[in-house]
Every structure is written in C-alpha cells, then in structure tokens.
C-alpha cells in the first residue's frame, strides 16, 4: 500500500510515529537494482523523504525516514541524511558486478560490514542507530562488540515478538528466553510493527 495509507493506519492504531526504513543489503546490493521496493540510490531516498514530509504535515503525525542496513548477520536501523548519503555513495562506487565469487564469500561480507561501520563511527554525532530484531547467535565476539558500540537503542519487541526476557514481559508468550546482553542495558528500548 502507499506510504500515506500506512501512515494513516499507524496514527489510527495509536503509534507515536511512522518510520520508513527500507532494506539496504550491501552484500547483495546488485540485487537492489532489480527489486523496485529497495532503495536504489540516494536520489530515490531523497524523493521518498520529500513525500514523507508532505504526509507528515497533512496528517500532523511524525513520519521519519532511515534505512535498514544489513551488517554481518544482523540488521540495524540508521537515521541521519548525511550518513545515509555517504553509505549510498560508498556502495555505488563498488563494482559488485566484477567478482561474483568474491561477492559470495563470507569474508567479503565481513570486510564490507567493517567498512560500513567505519562510516557510521565517523558520523556518530549526527546519526541515530537502532539494533533491530537482534539474534546475536551468528556473530563472532569482535563483530558483536562493534555493533554494541555504535547502537543507541534496540528493538525489544517487533510485531508481537520479544527478543529478550525481563520483568516487563516475563509472563508474555512469543519471546526468546534469554537475558539482555550487558552492553544493551541502559540503551533505549523500541517496540516496532515492522510493516516496512
């Protein structure tokens, strides 16, 4: 459905904001050019931003934009126009068509993630980063620490599914029975419908 319709529904359901974070999978970035709903360039991102601004003003309801960026085996939500612009410029400069075998290699994915984290760290003072649906099971320890360092908050619940257990949800169903990592304690908790 349209962005306008989704924003109206979120307002009607009592959400505090409507946030658009289309997928950006750098490792499979060449596929983004083939799939219409993926962001293909900063120009498309900027056009979407203008549309959301108009919807926000019409509905008197916050409509916020970012991207859902795949890093290692996890995903994070990134907010900050200049930072996102740098990410797209970085990806556009890479020749993803040249080395199919390299693209498939796990070490290439890890190297790409590490390079993107450098961009995020450099722009940390003007960027907000949320750890979304954190699984944490496939990460090496140093990868986990890199992600913990840059995030400002994390999704505690997404579409009714809880990722950690604490006193607020101990009697709830649909949760993973695991403790929140020490590194995430004190960071902001987010509840998300994940409608994309």
């Amino acid at each position: 459905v349209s962005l306008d319709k989704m924003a109206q529904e979120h307002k009607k359901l009592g959400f505090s904001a409507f946030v658009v974070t289309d997928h950006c999978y750098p490792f499979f970035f060449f596929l983004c050019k083939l799939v219409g709903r993926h962001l293909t360039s900063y120009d498309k991102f900027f056009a979407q931003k203008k549309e959301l601004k108009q919807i926000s003003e019409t509905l008197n309801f916050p409509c916020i934009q970012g991207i859902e960026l795949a890093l290692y085996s996890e995903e994070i939500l990134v907010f900050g126009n200049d930072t996102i612009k740098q990410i797209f410029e970085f990806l556009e400069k890479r020749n993803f068509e040249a080395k199919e075998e390299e693209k498939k290699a796990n070490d290439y994915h890890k190297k790409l993630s590490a390079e993107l984290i450098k961009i995020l760290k450099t722009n940390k003072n003007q960027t907000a980063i949320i750890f979304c649906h954190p699984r944490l099971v496939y990460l090496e320890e140093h990868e986990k620490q890199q992600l913990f360092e840059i995030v400002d908050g994390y999704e505690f619940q997404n579409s009714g599914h809880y990722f950690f257990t604490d006193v607020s949800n101990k009697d709830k169903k649909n949760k993973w029975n695991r403790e929140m990592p020490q590194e995430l304690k004190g960071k902001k908790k987010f509840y998300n419908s994940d409608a994309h």
Side-chain angles (χ1 to χ4, degrees):
V1 298
S2 68
L3 292 174
D4 184 46
K5 176 68 174 171
M6 283 194 284
Q8 288 180 50
E9 287 298 313
H10 276 72
K11 182 176 182 179
K12 182 177 164 185
L13 289 168
F15 280 87
S16 56
F18 172 55
V19 183
V20 178
T21 49
D22 282 341
H23 287 138
C24 181
Y25 292 153
F27 186 44
F28 306 108
F29 198 68
F30 64 104
L31 290 178
C32 291
K33 296 174 182 178
L34 306 177
V35 183
R37 79 183 187 92
H38 285 65
L39 295 174
T40 55
S41 66
Y42 185 72
D43 288 343
K44 186 172 178 182
F45 172 87
F46 191 74
Q48 188 185 69
K49 180 176 178 57
K50 285 174 68 176
E51 182 181 357
L52 285 168
K53 184 174 185 289
Q54 180 61 52
I55 294 167
S56 182
E57 289 171 356
T58 301
L59 296 179
N60 191 28
F61 183 61
C63 295
I64 303 164
Q65 188 189 29
I67 57 172
E68 182 168 337
L69 181 66
L71 292 176
Y72 298 118
S73 57
E74 297 285 345
E75 293 171 329
I76 61 171
L77 306 180
V78 180
F79 301 93
N81 287 348
D82 291 342
T83 306
I84 292 170
K85 184 171 189 261
Q86 285 183 41
I87 288 169
F88 279 117
E89 287 172 348
F90 167 77
L91 293 172
E92 290 290 353
K93 286 177 186 173
R94 302 187 76 86
N95 186 359
F96 286 91
E97 307 297 334
K99 299 179 181 177
E100 285 293 328
E101 291 307 312
E102 187 181 48
K103 280 189 301 198
K104 293 173 186 174
N106 195 39
D107 61 341
Y108 180 72
H109 189 190
K110 289 172 182 285
K111 181 180 177 185
L112 188 58
S113 295
E115 290 173 342
L116 287 163
I117 284 174
K118 285 180 187 174
I119 294 173
L120 294 170
K121 281 186 172 179
T122 301
N123 295 280
K124 191 65 192 80
N125 63 340
Q126 57 181 355
T127 310
I129 301 171
I130 300 170
F131 209 155
C132 49
H133 38 75
R135 295 173 297 171
L136 303 176
V137 290
Y138 302 111
L139 291 172
E140 294 179 19
E141 196 57 37
H142 76 280
E143 295 166 352
K144 202 182 292 184
Q145 291 307 316
Q146 282 183 322
L147 291 174
F148 285 148
E149 282 176 24
I150 61 171
V151 298
D152 301 296
Y154 63 97
E155 285 184 358
F156 185 69
Q157 184 243 61
N158 182 317
S159 300
H161 186 93
Y162 295 88
F163 301 104
F164 305 108
T165 304
D166 69 8
V167 293
S168 70
N169 71 342
K170 62 182 179 180
D171 299 322
K172 304 275 189 185
K173 295 180 180 178
N174 301 325
K175 67 177 183 294
W176 292 358
N177 288 308
R178 58 178 181 167
E179 282 192 36
M180 194 186 311
Q182 187 66 37
E183 293 88 346
L184 290 180
K185 290 181 179 177
K187 292 184 185 284
K188 293 183 184 297
K189 289 164 69 170
F190 290 88
Y191 297 79
N192 186 6
S193 68
D194 204 12
H196 289 293

